[in-house]
């Protein structure tokens, strides 16, 4: 029965991956803040350019893979630190070349951290305040407040810690890959190098927010969960539970990883025995919400707030309402949903939930079945094939003074100072659009490799990658309903790297007659 469920999961993901790949030959998902503003774009595919770039990226990938194979003669104690140090150096160069200032929510949480630290000002929890509406953001505010307290008040300090979390994720990608491929005769340094030089992760260190931190915790949690299946060590499951709770504290999509961990444990009930499965399940569930509960207890105990911060926060229906939008297929709705909560409901959670439900029902009643199918199709394709996680805005940034139209003549991004590199990427330059094209094509090729691995797994009745599939399917299902940004699926990128590298290796070994290596 378990194998039947796992096979079904493989088939479902293969369907979605196939849909992503097939659709990319007709549509190209784009996000270019300077050119289009803060909006998703699905344009007609430039097929010739698309195919040429596929061939070029594929050829370069094969060359790099062969180069990485030559590293096998060196010890992991030498290669792993050297690769991580190289990745660290690249990221340091990036944050000095692209001195992006925080904007939007990034600027808000940083300002709140400063207010709390230097002025003991917690008024943001009051009605109409940012944390009254979004109390879950207090985790990143608290983190930033701690850094500001312990270290010099400088953007470089915060971005430096982003780099450290990014390096942890890179290491965990390699360890997770090795854990899922214990019989490999190679060192598989290629996956480590791929993770260490993956451009979205390198540039995302420039974003002062929770994405990089949560990704490191959640990837680490999944690694120790998979490791526990082999070792049955309570140290591994304890680390899983702690890391999972920490990751969820920073980003609430940790529940997808929680479900994955629990199902993975239950799938191995027969081989591990209930004594090795039930206690870890209970431990993981019990620890999951401890950080959030502790935070709320401290806030109320110190009379920072007089009631639970979640009492009148924005309800989940707000993001579900944003997710139903024919015009932008679930992207930002230009404050329409904010207005319902803030103005129509007067910051009242129960009242706004009622209004959001009515709004969702109204949207469904007015739309035809065809329009809804089209909306969800566009939503799915744009989110998963955009391929850059919006680093064009959140990682690279732009000099607002260079705007020639884009978003009504104004771009919110700013640099501390400009450099020759930021000038290369200025506005909608060829350098910027070229990088976006390469990342887009790389993302599609990664899906092609994942599809290969899925097919190979189904044929061989080998389902070791089930934990990866559960997380990916969880994200697909969740963001089919939720408000979308391609940045929101950033925590999945480590799993896509692991999965796609497996598929690339399968293709390479088959092509060059090295099966089983």
């Amino acid at each position: 029965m378990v194998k039947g469920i796992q096979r079904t999961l493989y088939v479902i993901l293969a369907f979605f991956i196939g849909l992503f790949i097939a659709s990319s030959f007709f549509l190209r998902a784009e996000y270019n803040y300077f050119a289009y503003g803060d909006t998703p774009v699905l344009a007609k595919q430039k097929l010739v350019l698309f195919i040429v770039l596929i061939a070029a990226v594929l050829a370069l990938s094969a060359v790099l893979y062969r180069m990485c194979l030559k590293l096998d003669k060196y010890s992991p104690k030498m290669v792993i630190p050297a690769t991580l140090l190289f990745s660290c150096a690249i990221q340091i160069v990036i944050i000095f070349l692209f001195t992006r200032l925080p904007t939007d929510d990034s600027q808000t949480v940083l300002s709140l951290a400063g207010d709390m630290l230097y002025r003991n000002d917690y008024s943001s929890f009051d009605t109409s305040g940012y944390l009254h509406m979004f109390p879950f953001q207090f985790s990143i505010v608290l983190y930033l407040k701690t850094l500001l307290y312990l270290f010099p008040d400088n953007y470089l300090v915060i971005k430096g810690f982003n780099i450290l979390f990014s390096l942890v994720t890179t290491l965990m990608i390699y360890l997770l890959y090795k854990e899922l491929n214990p019989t490999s005769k190679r060192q598989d340094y290629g996956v480590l190098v791929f993770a260490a030089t993956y451009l979205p992760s390198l540039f995302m260190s420039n974003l002062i927010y929770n994405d990089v931190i949560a990704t490191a915790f959640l990837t680490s949690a999944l690694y120790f969960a998979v490791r526990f299946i082999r070792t049955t060590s309570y140290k591994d499951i304890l680390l899983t539970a702690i890391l999972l709770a920490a990751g969820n504290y920073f980003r609430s999509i940790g529940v997808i990883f929680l479900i994955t961990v629990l199902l993975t444990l239950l799938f191995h009930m027969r081989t591990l025995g209930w004594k090795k499965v039930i206690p870890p399940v209970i431990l993981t569930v019990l620890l999951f919400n401890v950080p959030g509960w502790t935070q709320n207890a401290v806030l109320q105990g110190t009379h920072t707030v007089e009631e639970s911060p979640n009492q009148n926060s924005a309800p989940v229906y707000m993001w579900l309402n944003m997710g139903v939008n024919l015009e932008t297929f679930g992207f930002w709705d230009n404050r329409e949903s904010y207005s319902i909560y803030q103005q129509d409901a007067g910051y009242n959670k129960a009242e706004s939930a009622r209004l959001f439900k009515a709004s969702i029902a109204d949207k469904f009643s007015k739309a035809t079945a065809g329009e809804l199918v089209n909306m969800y199709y566009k939503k799915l394709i744009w989110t998963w094939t955009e391929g850059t996680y919006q680093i064009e805005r959140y990682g690279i940034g732009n000099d607002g003074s260079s705007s020639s139209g884009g978003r009504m003549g104004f771009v919110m991004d700013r640099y501390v100072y400009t450099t020759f590199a930021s000038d290369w990427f200025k506005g909608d330059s060829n350098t910027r659009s070229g990088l976006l094209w390469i990342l887009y094509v790389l993302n599609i090729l990664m899906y092609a490799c994942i599809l290969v691995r899925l097919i190979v797994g189904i044929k061989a009745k080998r389902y070791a990658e089930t934990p990866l599939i559960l997380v990916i399917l969880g994200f697909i299902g969740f963001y089919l309903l939720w408000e979308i940004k391609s940045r929101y699926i950033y925590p999945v990128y480590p799993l896509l790297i692991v999965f796609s590298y497996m598929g690339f290796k399968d293709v390479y070994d088959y092509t060059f007659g090295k099966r089983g290596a």
Side-chain angles (χ1 to χ4, degrees), residues 491-517:
V492 170
Y493 97 82
L495 314 188
L496 297 183
I497 287 180
V498 171
F499 221 145
S500 63
Y501 189 85
M502 292 176 184
F504 183 87
K505 183 179 176 182
D506 287 340
V507 173
Y508 184 91
D509 290 346
Y510 179 82
T511 303
F512 294 96
K514 296 179 180 179
R515 283 185 247 183

Side-chain angles (χ1 to χ4, degrees), residues 116-184:
M116 292 178 187
L117 177 64
Y118 303 123
R119 290 172 286 281
N120 199 33
D121 180 3
Y122 288 80
S123 61
S124 184
F125 282 107
D126 297 341
T127 302
S128 81
Y130 183 80
L131 293 179
H132 175 89
M133 188 171 182
F134 308 120
F136 57 84
Q137 296 283 37
F138 185 58
S139 57
I140 186 64
V141 172
L142 184 61
Y143 164 77
L144 293 173
K145 177 187 173 186
T146 303
L147 291 188
L148 294 176
Y149 175 75
L150 295 175
F151 302 97
D153 186 349
N154 193 294
Y155 296 133
L156 293 177
V157 171
I158 303 171
K159 292 180 180 182
F161 273 86
N162 272 353
I163 292 174
L164 292 178
F165 280 108
S166 176
L167 296 178
V168 169
T169 302
T170 297
L171 177 60
M172 288 302 158
I173 288 172
Y174 179 67
L175 295 179
L176 180 59
Y177 178 92
K178 295 297 288 183
E179 196 65 41
L180 293 170
N181 294 269
T183 61
S184 176

